[in-house]
Amino acid sequence: MARKISFLNFKGGVGKTSLVVNFASILAHAGNRVLLVDCDPQSNSSIWTLRLDRWNELQGERGDETLLSVLRPGGVPIRHAIQNDVVWDLDRNPVLPGLDLLSALFSLMDIEHEIEDPEDDPIYSRFYRQIATIDSDYDYIIFDCPPNLFKTTQCAVFSSEDIYAPANPDALSIIGFHLLVNKMLMFVAETQSDRDRLGAIAPQIRGVVLNAVKNGVNFEAPKQRLEIMIERFVQKRLVHRNAGILDLEIRHTILASRLVSQGIPAILSRDTDVITGILSDYKKVTDLIRTERISFTESAAV
């Protein structure tokens, strides 16, 4: 069975998509079978991995190859909507075997008023059954979630075992994490009967990834407050007992935006600055999440 992970924070602009795309790409480059599910109507993960020209093709006759087409009543089976080996070179040759995509479109935001949710079979339970049909095809299924708990995020969270929260080391990220936990507690409680019916495991928040950390900035105070908050939330069981802030931070750099414009993840870059800089951070974070090696800071543990 695939390990299913959602990346989610209720504060936007924390570098979530950069983390998700590079995390999934590094796993695929290492030989894993990875499905990236873009649940965010902004479609940043989709545009990055497909490049804009191929993503635009999904607006027309290839519109069935999207998450929206799967979620609509009577929609296409998920297997038919997935784009295999999604990262191509400029000649449209696959260059990262093993990384597949279930794409988003801007119109994914219409799902909130377009699709009614029957009480006996809500949209997240229908999506869970779809995911179950491809579970054995992958080692990892990664969900890129928008900063809310609307229907697409509900689908991702209900289908996930693990949740990681990308965050910046500031007060707003702490507030966003607090809101995330409170909303998640309500959602898990409200969906318990559906989990019992389907045999679905309740997700747990496994850790926080500090992203876009500027060199020379002292962020120990907000980091300590976040660690203490995590420790308190462990008692509510939604946060894993070993949860904490990952042992290293992803540095702030303009290289990430350069990679987006090139339409490639860091693992495929030949730029020396990327390879020795941001790629090194992404590899270390990927290893920490893959092996679930997360720890508290000493100050928070005292």
Side-chain angles (χ1 to χ4, degrees):
M1 293 177 62
R3 183 180 173 194
K4 293 173 279 292
I5 306 173
S6 284
F7 286 85
L8 172 63
N9 194 330
F10 278 23
K11 177 184 181 297
V14 295
K16 170 182 59 66
T17 295
S18 294
L19 174 61
V20 170
V21 169
N22 284 291
F23 174 70
S25 300
I26 290 169
L27 288 172
H29 191 263
N32 295 285
R33 301 166 301 165
V34 182
L35 174 63
L36 173 55
V37 183
D38 192 352
C39 299
D40 193 337
Q42 293 188 71
S43 309
N44 290 334
S45 288
S46 300
I47 295 171
W48 187 344
T49 52
L50 284 166
R51 287 198 176 99
L52 188 59
D53 57 338
R54 288 165 57 211
W55 180 78
N56 280 329
E57 293 174 5
L58 300 178
Q59 318 283 344
E61 60 184 25
R62 292 181 55 202
D64 283 347
E65 299 175 26
T66 69
L67 175 60
L68 181 59
S69 65
V70 174
L71 295 179
R72 281 176 169 151
V76 302
I78 191 171
R79 195 181 302 276
H80 296 167
I82 291 171
Q83 301 190 54
N84 297 314
D85 300 334
V86 64
V87 180
W88 296 357
D89 61 19
L90 294 177
D91 295 322
R92 298 201 164 202
N93 299 310
V95 290
L96 189 55
L99 179 59
D100 297 347
L101 173 72
L102 183 56
S103 177
L105 293 175
F106 292 159
S107 54
L108 189 59
M109 67 181 65
D110 297 336
I111 197 173
E112 293 303 316
H113 57 78
E114 178 183 319
I115 298 178
E116 294 187 6
D117 232 0
E119 290 187 7
D120 61 340
D121 195 21
I123 188 170
Y124 55 77
S125 63
R126 300 196 303 273
F127 182 72
Y128 178 87
R129 294 197 300 272
Q130 288 267 25
I131 287 291
T133 66
I134 59 167
D135 201 334
S136 61
D137 295 347
Y138 294 98
D139 300 302
Y140 293 87
I141 299 177
I142 312 299
F143 301 96
D144 183 0
C145 302
N148 56 54
L149 199 54
F150 296 159
K151 288 181 179 178
T152 57
T153 308
Q154 290 176 16
C155 289
V157 168
F158 191 86
S159 296
S160 296
E161 297 104 8
D162 298 337
I163 297 171
Y164 284 87
N168 303 135
D170 57 30
L172 291 178
S173 284
I174 295 174
I175 294 171
F177 182 78
H178 190 281
L179 182 59
L180 166 64
V181 175
N182 285 333
K183 291 290 186 180
M184 286 285 300
L185 284 168
M186 293 174 57
F187 178 69
V188 169
E190 291 169 355
T191 59
Q192 188 58 54
S193 61
D194 293 305
R195 292 190 181 282
D196 293 341
R197 173 171 55 88
L198 294 168
I201 300 172
Q204 285 193 306
I205 297 172
R206 297 301 304 262
V208 174
V209 184
L210 291 182
N211 201 6
V213 177
K214 294 183 178 179
N215 187 37
V217 175
N218 187 340
F219 57 90
E220 284 305 311
K223 184 177 178 179
Q224 290 173 19
R225 288 196 295 271
L226 186 55
E227 287 279 22
I228 292 169
M229 183 184 299
I230 293 171
E231 193 172 15
R232 289 173 179 169
F233 277 131
V234 168
Q235 301 172 8
K236 299 187 178 182
R237 300 181 65 181
L238 176 68
V239 177
H240 192 274
R241 65 182 182 278
N242 293 327
I245 297 176
L246 268 69
D247 287 333
L248 63 89
E249 301 85 34
I250 299 173
R251 73 195 74 183
H252 178 270
T253 176
I254 62 171
L255 296 174
S257 59
R258 187 189 307 173
L259 293 168
V260 175
S261 65
Q262 294 171 347
I264 59 171
I267 195 69
L268 297 181
S269 177
R270 297 180 180 178
D271 188 322
T272 302
D273 290 338
V274 171
I275 294 170
T276 59
I278 194 72
L279 176 57
S280 175
D281 293 350
Y282 285 134
K283 282 184 173 180
K284 291 174 183 176
V285 167
T286 299
D287 186 58
L288 290 176
I289 294 176
R290 180 183 59 80
T291 59
E292 300 178 357
R293 287 189 284 113
I294 306 158
S295 65
F296 290 111
T297 60
E298 290 184 7
S299 57
V302 173

